[in-house]
């Protein structure tokens, strides 16, 4: 692999991000690495741990802010593996001159999500760097919790004919950030930034639940590519079944984005045995955040390692992992 310099594309969550991760991992002996590259790692089979950094711009966006995002992002990585978020550590890197009032406001947002989920802040760190060395504020969170499912969830459990579901409409976080940056004001467009645990916990008792994934950077399309490539099975999606709000589609039409690759911050992709698909849908729709939950496709033994999208006009297109960066600093 040839990689001389890091580019913004390496932060896209897509193919270049995978390349960068491989460069980092390549210097570690295999005995020092976890074998699965899911949203969170399971240590001692029971304890889930994850870490994420947040550099979103703007820090305040329709539907949330960087403080709320920092807790939801890491807590959701645990939730999709059936791990109850319980503890969190937080590192704050602030630029010299950053207003204390603004920092306090973001910490109140973070605290509110912690209280809602029963998460305890157990450790932290602060750094202040000279003006111009970072843009405002970066937050890193590391979340820890205990797995509550009898066995670990993961894409390794996916089987041919499994049903794929999304918990809500896609692309709202990415569209909200894009609209803010380009001074667009679509009616009713807000980020979907929210904690997923309350919506996903009731699913954990379903025997046919295979795996779940938080559709953040790279969006739904990247998650589907990771599942297809990781399991060497095909995934077929139905464009008709994928819920996309008109406000998100309008932003995509103006800015040239593909909603399949726009980031979400409160949307999970779910793989489930088809006999349990309706049960999953019904449970999800009992949560106010998941009224748009939909069946969007299935796993197949055809076109192994690839994702195919059945279009609304009856055609078929390949959904590939994105190579470049549509919108940097989105989460």
């Amino acid at each position: 692999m040839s990689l001389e310099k890091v580019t913004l594309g390496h932060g896209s969550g897509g193919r270049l991000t995978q390349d960068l991760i491989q460069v980092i991992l390549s210097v570690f002996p295999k005995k020092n690495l976890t074998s699965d590259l899911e949203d969170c790692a399971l240590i001692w089979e029971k304890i889930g741990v994850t870490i994420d950094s947040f550099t979103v711009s703007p820090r305040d966006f329709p539907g949330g802010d960087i403080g709320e995002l920092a807790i939801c992002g890491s807590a959701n990585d645990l939730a999709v593996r059936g791990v109850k978020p319980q503890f969190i550590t937080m590192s704050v890197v602030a630029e010299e001159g950053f207003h204390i009032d603004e920092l306090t406001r973001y910490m109140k947002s973070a605290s509110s999500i912690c209280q809602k989920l029963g998460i305890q802040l157990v450790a932290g760190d602060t750094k202040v760097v000279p003006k111009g060395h970072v843009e405002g504020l970066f937050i890193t969170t590391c979340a820890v919790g205990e797995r509550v499912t009898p066995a670990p969830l993961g894409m390794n459990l996916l089987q041919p004919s499994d049903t794929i579901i999304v918990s809500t409409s896609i692309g709202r976080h990415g569209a909200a950030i894009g609209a803010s940056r380009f001074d667009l004001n679509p009616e009713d467009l807000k980020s979907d930034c929210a904690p997923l645990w309350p919506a996903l916990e009731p699913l954990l008792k379903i025997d046919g639940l295979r795996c779940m994934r938080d559709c953040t950077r790279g969006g739904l399309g990247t998650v589907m590519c990771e599942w297809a490539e990781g399991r060497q099975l095909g995934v077929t999606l139905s464009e008709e079944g994928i819920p996309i709000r008109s406000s998100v589609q309008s932003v995509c039409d103006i800015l040239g984005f593909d909603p399949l690759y726009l980031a979400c911050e409160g949307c999970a992709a779910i793989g489930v045995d088809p006999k349990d698909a309706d049960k999953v849908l019904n449970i999800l729709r009992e949560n106010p955040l998941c009224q748009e939950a939909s069946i969007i496709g299935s796993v197949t033994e055809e076109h192994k390692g690839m994702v195919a999208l059945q279009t609304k006009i009856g055609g078929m297109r390949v959904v590939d992992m994105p190579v470049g960066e549509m919108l940097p600093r989105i989460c």
Side-chain angles (χ1 to χ4, degrees):
M1 183 185 306
S2 176
L3 196 162
E4 294 184 353
K5 293 183 179 180
V6 175
T7 68
L8 283 175
H10 289 105
S12 67
R15 186 70 66 194
L16 292 179
T17 299
Q18 299 291 326
D19 292 346
L20 181 62
I21 291 172
Q22 289 306 315
V23 168
I24 294 171
L25 297 184
S26 66
V27 300
F28 287 83
K30 287 187 177 179
K31 66 179 182 180
N32 295 125
L33 296 173
T34 180
S35 58
D36 55 14
L37 297 177
E38 295 280 357
D39 271 346
C40 85
L42 293 174
I43 53 179
W44 304 311
E45 289 291 312
K46 196 72 176 174
I47 304 300
V49 59
T50 188
I51 187 168
D52 209 342
S53 295
F54 299 87
T55 66
V56 64
S57 177
R59 293 183 291 275
D60 291 281
F61 48 83
D65 61 42
I66 190 172
E68 183 176 348
L69 183 66
I71 304 300
C72 289
S74 287
N76 289 348
D77 285 346
L78 296 187
V80 293
R81 291 215 76 188
V83 175
K84 177 179 173 56
Q86 294 170 294
F87 305 101
I88 202 158
T89 68
M90 179 163 56
S91 172
V92 173
V93 179
E95 182 183 24
E96 177 187 23
F98 196 81
H99 286 279
I100 294 295
D101 287 349
E102 186 177 357
L103 176 62
T104 302
R105 182 156 51 83
Y106 298 141
M107 292 302 103
K108 286 181 177 178
S109 295
S111 172
S112 174
I113 300 298
C114 286
Q115 292 181 55
K116 184 180 295 184
L117 295 176
I119 295 176
Q120 187 177 357
L121 178 64
V122 292
D125 180 50
T126 59
K127 293 287 187 302
V128 178
V129 296
K131 193 169 184 61
H133 284 223
V134 300
E135 184 187 325
L137 180 72
F138 294 171
I139 299 176
T140 298
T141 52
C142 172
V144 179
E146 188 172 359
R147 176 172 59 81
V148 300
T149 54
L153 301 175
M155 63 180 170
N156 61 307
L157 301 180
L158 281 174
Q159 302 294 324
S161 81
D162 279 351
T163 300
I164 296 174
I165 292 171
V166 287
S167 64
T168 188
S169 61
I170 66 168
R172 281 185 276 150
H173 180 71
I177 296 294
S180 294
R181 287 193 199 164
F182 292 96
D183 294 325
L184 304 175
N185 297 293
E187 189 175 355
D188 297 328
L189 176 59
K190 291 182 179 179
S191 167
D192 59 339
C193 182
L196 283 168
W197 180 252
L200 301 184
E201 183 185 16
L203 305 181
L204 303 180
K205 60 189 177 187
I206 297 175
D207 292 337
L209 186 66
R210 311 287 200 208
C211 59
M212 301 189 287
R213 185 68 69 88
D214 187 13
C215 303
T216 53
R217 281 182 308 164
L220 174 67
T222 298
V223 171
M224 293 297 100
C225 290
E226 290 178 355
W227 282 3
E229 293 179 12
R231 279 291 287 131
Q232 278 304 294
L233 291 169
V235 170
T236 300
L237 301 177
S238 165
E239 187 177 28
E240 192 73 44
I242 299 173
I244 302 171
R245 293 188 181 181
S246 58
S247 56
V248 172
Q249 189 62 59
S250 66
V251 170
C252 290
D253 291 343
I254 293 170
L255 300 179
F257 295 156
D258 185 336
L260 281 178
Y261 301 117
L262 279 182
C264 314
E265 288 296 339
C267 174
I270 300 166
V272 61
D273 187 311
K275 69 179 175 56
D276 290 321
D278 287 341
K279 188 185 300 183
V280 168
L281 269 185
N282 292 335
I283 291 175
L284 284 172
R285 288 172 179 168
E286 290 175 1
N287 187 295
L289 297 177
C290 301
Q291 298 298 301
E292 299 159 287
S294 300
I295 292 174
I296 62 167
S298 60
V299 180
T300 175
E301 291 190 275
E302 300 176 358
H303 51 78
K304 292 181 178 179
M306 299 181 67
V307 180
L309 178 73
Q310 292 175 333
T311 66
K312 292 179 180 177
I313 59 173
M316 187 77 82
R317 59 167 270 213
V318 173
V319 177
D320 202 357
M321 201 173 287
V323 174
E325 175 65 291
M326 282 197 306
L327 201 61
R329 297 196 62 194
I330 200 162
C331 60

